[in-house]
């Protein structure tokens, strides 16, 4: 097998203990010595950066960076992504939340085999959560990007939910929020699926994607809604996304958001406000791509 380099980008906003556990899981299960871990502290307001900088000060496999302000998900991850591309020329870049853990061996070998079988731009594994459920990945098994009507409907629905959240009527927000979680037994035997929308908590970008998008993710979003926008860009570029249930990671879910936003209503409002902004960005992008086809 050709020896390929893999860079892991961990974006941290507080929750430094989660980051340390994440790094340990990568080291234990990556299955190659030819990797680097790049931790980007997204201007944490606590001592998270100092903790991480001291913990990994003498680690040859780990680089610790710090942003001057909270750049959000896309821009924050791109700091690490662009650093990896410049310094390590990786064949694969893995963006993973700091509350994600690897627990299956030979991640390196699995990713290489999958790319040889199906040259992908972006790969996503099965994701398990702390309640034992299969969640989120793919965001949808529909391999068609969202239509304009679908996005407009989502914007309208999220605006209604935002009003309810600001009025502290969370029980009504939850009533109108679809639950996407399914049991592992229902879905773990599914075959690989191409061109589906992948969840942002763990994404593997191949050299195909890196060559076409050296900057990384679309930086116009702050947080939430990155996944459908990524799918739109990848399919428009004539490349593939790939989901496989045969590699599994564990996601504790929302460690950074929970650390920053203590109140349930405040957290829900934050999520909805940013989702609405991202949906408008998606709508603009979709319309621009349509204009280019005329």
């Amino acid at each position: 097998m050709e020896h390929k380099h893999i860079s892991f980008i961990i974006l941290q906003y507080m929750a430094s203990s989660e980051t340390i556990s994440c790094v340990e899981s990568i080291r234990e299960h990556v299955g190659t010595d030819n990797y680097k871990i790049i931790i980007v502290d997204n201007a944490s307001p606590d001592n998270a950066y100092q903790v991480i900088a001291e913990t990994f000060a003498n680690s040859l496999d780990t680089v610790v960076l710090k942003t001057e302000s909270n750049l959000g998900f896309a821009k924050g991850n791109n700091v690490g992504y662009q650093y990896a591309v410049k310094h390590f020329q990786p064949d694969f870049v893995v963006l993973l939340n700091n509350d994600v853990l690897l627990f299956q061996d030979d991640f390196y070998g699995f990713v290489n085999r999958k790319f040889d079988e199906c040259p992908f731009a972006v790969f996503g594994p099965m994701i398990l959560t702390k309640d034992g459920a299969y969640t989120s990945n793919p965001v949808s098994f529909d391999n068609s990007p969202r239509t304009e009507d679908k996005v407009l409907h989502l914007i309208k629905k999220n605006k209604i939910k935002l009003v309810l959240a600001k009025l502290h009527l969370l029980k009504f927000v939850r009533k109108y929020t679809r639950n996407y979680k399914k049991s592992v037994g229902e879905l773990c035997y599914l075959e690989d699926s191409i061109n589906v929308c992948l969840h942002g908590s763990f994404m593997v970008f191949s050299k195909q994607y890196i060559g076409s998008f050296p900057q990384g993710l679309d930086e116009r979003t702050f947080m939430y809604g990155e996944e459908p926008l990524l799918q739109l860009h990848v399919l428009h570029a004539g490349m593939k996304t790939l989901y496989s249930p045969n590699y599994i990671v564990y996601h504790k879910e929302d460690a950074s958001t929970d650390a920053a936003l203590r109140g349930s209503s405040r957290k829900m409002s934050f999520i909805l406000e940013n989702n609405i902004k991202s949906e408008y960005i998606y709508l603009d992008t979709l319309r621009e791509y349509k204009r280019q086809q005329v």
Side-chain angles (χ1 to χ4, degrees):
M1 183 185 293
E2 182 185 354
H3 200 57
K4 298 178 180 179
H5 177 90
I6 301 178
S7 290
F8 293 83
I9 314 302
I10 304 172
L11 184 64
Q12 169 184 274
Y13 185 75
M14 302 193 282
S16 57
S17 62
E18 305 286 0
T19 303
I20 294 168
S21 296
C22 181
V23 170
E24 291 171 349
S25 78
I26 293 171
R27 288 171 169 174
E28 184 175 356
H29 299 291
V30 62
T32 179
D33 293 329
N34 196 24
Y35 73 94
K36 290 288 183 182
I37 300 170
I38 301 158
I39 302 168
V40 180
D41 183 84
N42 208 5
S44 297
D46 61 2
N47 67 339
Y49 169 73
Q50 288 77 11
V51 170
I52 294 302
E54 291 172 9
T55 300
F56 299 108
N58 299 314
S59 300
L60 297 178
D61 65 347
T62 305
V63 176
V64 181
L65 308 175
K66 187 179 190 299
T67 64
E68 294 301 317
S69 61
N70 184 350
L71 301 179
F73 181 85
K75 283 186 179 180
N77 270 302
N78 282 355
V79 171
Y81 179 103
Q82 291 166 16
Y83 184 95
V85 171
K86 179 179 179 180
H87 293 278
F88 307 123
Q89 297 79 50
D91 293 272
F92 301 102
V93 173
V94 185
L95 303 186
L96 69 163
N97 285 15
N98 70 329
D99 58 349
V100 169
L101 300 175
L102 276 66
F103 63 89
Q104 283 185 268
D105 290 337
D106 196 23
F107 175 76
Y108 154 83
F110 182 88
V111 170
N112 273 284
R113 288 190 296 273
K114 279 296 163 191
F115 185 77
D116 289 341
E117 292 170 9
C118 178
F120 57 81
V122 191
F123 164 76
M126 174 179 279
I127 299 170
L128 299 183
T129 56
K130 58 189 174 185
D131 58 3
Y134 165 96
T135 184
S136 304
N137 214 16
V139 175
S140 168
F141 279 99
D142 182 0
N143 59 7
S144 301
R146 289 175 177 173
T147 64
E148 189 169 324
D149 287 344
K150 171 76 170 177
V151 179
L152 289 170
H153 174 72
L154 286 170
I155 291 171
K156 181 179 178 180
K157 186 169 75 170
N158 282 334
K159 284 182 175 179
I160 293 169
K161 287 159 63 175
L162 179 59
V163 172
L164 294 172
K166 288 183 178 295
L167 292 172
H168 303 283
L169 298 172
L170 282 177
K171 63 180 179 179
F172 295 105
V173 177
R174 295 190 180 105
K175 180 180 178 181
Y176 293 106
T177 300
R178 182 179 174 185
N179 185 358
Y180 287 98
K181 291 189 178 181
K182 300 186 173 94
S183 70
V184 178
E186 287 180 70
L187 293 172
C188 65
Y189 54 82
L190 287 176
E191 297 180 353
D192 293 359
S193 302
I194 64 169
N195 292 340
V196 292
C197 186
L198 299 171
H199 195 267
S201 60
F202 195 104
M203 298 184 292
V204 182
F205 297 85
S206 74
K207 208 153 193 175
Q208 262 193 20
Y209 182 93
I210 296 166
S212 296
F213 300 96
Q215 79 284 355
L217 298 173
D218 190 319
E219 294 192 345
R220 292 174 294 168
T221 60
F222 181 78
M223 191 174 291
Y224 304 111
E226 296 85 6
E227 297 99 333
L229 189 58
L230 174 64
Q231 181 195 26
L232 184 62
H233 288 316
V234 168
L235 296 185
H236 183 263
M239 299 186 291
K240 297 176 183 177
T241 67
L242 172 67
Y243 161 75
S244 176
N246 297 317
Y247 195 89
I248 305 171
V249 300
Y250 175 66
H251 186 201
K252 298 179 184 179
E253 293 190 294
D254 297 331
S256 295
T257 309
D258 288 343
L261 303 170
R262 298 293 179 185
S264 294
S265 293
R266 187 179 171 208
K267 178 182 175 182
M268 183 62 74
S269 296
F270 175 83
I271 292 170
L272 291 167
E273 285 170 351
N274 281 283
N275 264 314
I276 291 166
K277 291 176 184 176
S278 296
E279 284 152 6
Y280 276 117
I281 291 167
Y282 181 97
L283 192 60
D284 289 343
T285 306
L286 181 60
R287 287 169 174 169
E288 177 58 30
Y289 283 157
K290 284 183 176 178
R291 284 193 291 270
Q292 292 175 13
Q293 293 172 355
V294 174

